[in-house]
Every structure is written in C-alpha cells, then in structure tokens.
Amino acid sequence: TGPTGPVGGADGVRVEGVRVHAFSVPTDGPDGAEEDGTLRWEATTAIVVEVQGGGRTGVGYTYGDVSTAGFVASQLAPLVTGGDALAPAALWHRMRAAVRNAGRPGVGAMALSAVDIALWDLKARLLGLPLHRLLPAVHDQVPVYGSGGFTNYAHGLLADQLAGWVEQGIPRVKIKTSRRPGQDAARLSAAREAIGPDTELFADANGALSRKEALYWARRMAGEWDVRWLEEPVSSDDTAGLRLLRDQGPGRLEIAAGEYGFVLGDFAALLQAGAVDCLQADVTRCGGITGLLQVAGLAAAHRVDLSAHCAPAASAHAFCAVERLRHLEYFHDHVRVEELLFDGVLRPVGGALRPAHDRPGLGIRVRWADAEPYRVHGHRPG
Ligand code: LGT
Ligand code: MG
C-alpha cells in the first residue's frame, strides 16, 4: 500500500500530476430498466481521480457519466497541477473560478468534487493523518441508514434487503416509492412487515409526485406505515411545494431534499424557503470536502440537520466534520461499487461507520486489477 508516514517538511509540496479513470459497473440485476422508460439504471459509473505530490497519491471520486472524467482531464487537471498540495481549498477556489463558463453545477461540480476529495486525501496522506482527523471533526462516527428498496424489486427481495440491514444493527431504512404509486401500499406494507415496528422507515419519491398527490401520500405514509422521512416528494426545484408539504403534512413526517445541490446557492435556496426538515448533501456533487464544509456551516446557521447522500466511503470521513450531522445513506449500489473498486471500505458497526485512526487519508486504495474489466476511461497506472 506504499508509504504511510508523514513526509518530512511537507511545506512546499506541489501537485505533480492528475490521473483520471472511469469504471462502469453493471447493476446487479434488479436495479435495471423500468419498463416505463423513465429510469434506466443498468450501470453505475464511478469517476476516480488520483493526484500525485511529494511521493504520495491522493484518491477522490464521484458518480456520473464518463463526460465527467473528460471534464476533469481537460478543464481541471491543468489548473491544479503545480499547485500547493497543502492548500486544497485554495485550489478549489481556483477551479471554481475557472469553470464559470463551462458550468459550475452538474458535470462541473461533480468533476470539481472528485478532484477536491483527491486533494484532501493527498494532504492527509502527506501529513500522515486519517482524513477525518485533518478535518475539523466533531464526531468520530457517522450513523447510517440502509438505502435501496427499488420500485422494481419483487417483494421478497425488498423484504430480504431491508431485513438484512436490520440484522446488521441499522435502525433505519429507506425505500423508493411513487414512480408507480398504485403499487406503493403493498410495497410499504411489505417493508414495514420485514423491519418490524421499531425500525424507522423512510421513503424517497425522487420528485415523482404533484403537490396534491404528495400531500395525499404524506398523510397515508405517516398514518398507515409510520413513515418518518419523505424525500423529494415533489421536485427539489419546487421549494414552495416542499414547504407546503412541511406545513400541511403530518407533524412526525420529515421532508428532506438536497441530493441535487451542486453549488452553495442550491442549498441556500432550500434553506431560505424553509423547504426541508433535514437537508441532504452529496460530498461527491456539492464541491467535495471544501464545498461540504460550506454547506455544513449554512445548515448550522439555519439550525437544520444535514444527512449524507450516497458515496459512503468518502462521506464517512467528511461528515465527521458536520456539526449538525443527522446520518449517512448506506446506499446499496454504491456499497457494491465501492467494495469492488477500493480496498479499505468501512462496514457499519452498531449502525454507524467509524473511520479508522491508523490509516491515512480516506483509508482506501484502488483495487486496480479488479477494477480493470470495468474501465471506460483512462489507463491503468504503472
Ligand atoms: O437518495 C437516493 O439514494 C436516490 O435518490 C438516488 O440518488 C438515486 O436513486 C436517484 O438519484 C435516481 O433515481 O437517479
Ligand atoms: Mg434521493
């Protein structure tokens, strides 16, 4: 795994190079195409960025399309190469300023996030520190919720997946709903039966409902299945609609959104509208570690908790530094991809991920040989 001790006199270490890889890993079957064609999820593409400096390599990643890898290579790599390897936030500002015409949200934000995470991982490795110890951590572990429950699962698979998390000691689980609302009552009953009365049940509508439909389902979900969290009942662009759900929906049902927050203004808009009971942020979309620390401050200023969306391996470290931490999404598809691509991925213990104190950076290493068959961009190093 290479050297792990601190580099003598890390001052003056420069970023010597950036390498970009993309791996497209087929889904394990049931997450495949919806027959209505609105969601075709046949593979998950991880964009992995390596930054080198001072004899160390930092690793970051995001989930997106192979175009995100191209954006890193063409737009961002030249900006950080030669930069101060101990100043990831300064390089973040340099990247953000430079991509204003290419586009800061969307692909630009995912690319920037992957590079930023790699730069923070590199800095931690140069200093011989686990990343969470380098960050202004206020927690040493992050509670998780199990997340999957895709709408095209057979009830048996849905029940097995949810019960598996409960058996692992995870006290809250999330399923997808609302894409085919006619099937949701039976699915919610199957889910509640599988997890018993004491596990919290969350639902993610992925913005599929109108405001009136969402209000109807919010009341039913809370009343009949004790659902505690309804994510994106309407589109997260509809901040007034989310606010309406908060104001008129059942008191015990929290409204959550934020996974499509790419720039700080996206989060400010949700918070200023009073749109969410709990904000979500994805460290691989919202500007990496540097961006997430900004979102965490904004959430604290609005006295709203923050929950991690997806990408558990990076989120476990980053969210230790979130004062108003709620929990982290232990998302089955990313767990599968991260365990395939990386050594050192954490498993939940007692319902939480606890980053190690004796492994520098994110504590992960790319499993090059196993990743290689899935490569869609870049070349194997060495
Ligand atoms: O919260 C989640 O995990 C989901 O919303 C996922 O992010 C994903 O399924 C969603 O982005 C989608 O449907 O593409
Ligand atoms: Mg979601």
Side-chain angles (χ1 to χ4, degrees):
T1 59
T4 54
V7 167
D11 252 6
V13 178
R14 298 276 141 193
V15 176
E16 287 149 24
V18 177
R19 287 194 295 241
V20 195
H21 316 268
F23 304 99
S24 195
V25 183
T27 55
D28 52 8
D31 304 354
E34 299 271 343
E35 61 265 21
D36 67 1
T38 56
L39 175 64
R40 294 180 64 81
W41 190 337
E42 285 154 0
T44 297
T45 302
I47 295 89
V48 177
V49 173
E50 294 179 286
V51 290
Q52 287 116 2
R56 302 284 191 271
T57 299
V59 173
Y61 64 95
T62 187
Y63 291 98
D65 181 77
V66 74
S67 59
T68 309
F71 196 98
V72 172
S74 67
Q75 306 285 315
L76 303 183
L79 294 172
V80 300
T81 303
D84 182 349
L86 293 185
L91 294 175
W92 185 95
H93 283 280
R94 185 188 289 179
M95 290 189 281
R96 196 182 67 111
V99 302
R100 69 185 189 280
N101 289 338
R104 285 177 181 156
V107 168
M110 293 188 286
L112 188 150
S113 300
V115 176
D116 179 85
I117 294 167
L119 287 167
W120 278 98
D121 186 51
L122 175 63
K123 178 172 179 178
R125 288 175 188 276
L126 288 167
L127 298 174
L129 287 171
L131 181 54
H132 67 111
R133 303 287 285 163
L134 173 62
L135 299 177
V138 286
H139 311 282
D140 62 2
Q141 63 176 2
V142 179
V144 304
Y145 67 88
S147 174
F150 279 58
T151 54
N152 52 353
Y153 284 5
H155 287 189
L157 178 60
L158 178 75
D160 287 350
Q161 186 183 59
L162 303 182
W165 285 317
V166 177
E167 273 163 34
Q168 286 178 53
I170 298 174
R172 50 193 90 79
V173 298
K174 184 171 95 182
I175 70 169
K176 284 179 173 285
T177 61
S178 311
R179 195 167 291 278
R180 301 176 200 151
Q183 300 179 8
D184 280 342
R187 295 179 63 253
L188 286 158
S189 294
R192 177 50 78 196
E193 192 178 327
I195 64 177
D198 298 330
T199 301
E200 287 185 40
L201 180 58
F202 298 175
D204 184 351
N206 282 125
L209 301 172
S210 71
R211 290 183 185 181
K212 280 197 187 257
E213 288 168 337
L215 200 49
Y216 166 83
W217 276 105
R219 290 175 178 148
R220 276 198 74 182
M221 284 182 187
E224 293 177 44
W225 301 282
D226 194 20
V227 171
R228 295 293 176 85
W229 163 289
L230 180 53
E231 183 173 318
E232 293 192 318
V234 296
S235 165
S236 55
D237 295 335
D238 182 10
T239 52
L242 292 171
R243 176 62 189 261
L244 180 139
L245 268 291
R246 280 190 73 209
D247 289 344
Q248 295 188 25
R252 285 183 79 187
L253 182 73
E254 291 191 300
I255 302 300
E259 68 181 66
Y260 297 116
F262 292 109
V263 296
L264 202 54
D266 295 334
F267 299 96
L270 285 167
L271 291 166
Q272 282 162 11
V276 290
D277 293 294
C278 183
L279 187 66
Q280 296 173 280
D282 187 325
V283 69
T284 71
R285 286 181 181 162
C286 74
I289 306 288
T290 306
L292 180 72
L293 294 175
Q294 297 173 351
V295 176
L298 198 59
H302 284 84
R303 302 183 193 289
V304 169
D305 287 350
L306 189 61
S307 174
H309 175 260
C310 288
S315 303
H317 284 258
F319 279 76
C320 284
V322 172
E323 178 199 341
R324 294 200 63 125
L325 166 68
R326 177 71 69 88
H327 39 45
L328 177 155
E329 180 181 16
Y330 193 64
F331 184 49
H332 76 114
D333 186 62
H334 288 184
V335 169
R336 187 178 62 87
V337 172
E338 292 176 16
E339 290 193 348
L340 190 150
L341 295 181
F342 305 126
D343 275 328
V345 170
L346 300 169
R347 292 255 169 94
V349 177
L353 294 178
R354 181 184 282 268
H357 282 241
D358 58 356
R359 304 225 311 264
L362 286 170
I364 57 172
R365 289 279 182 192
V366 181
R367 305 173 69 225
W368 293 112
D370 292 311
E372 208 49 37
Y374 304 102
R375 179 181 291 282
V376 289
H377 181 96
H379 305 282
R380 186 172 175 178

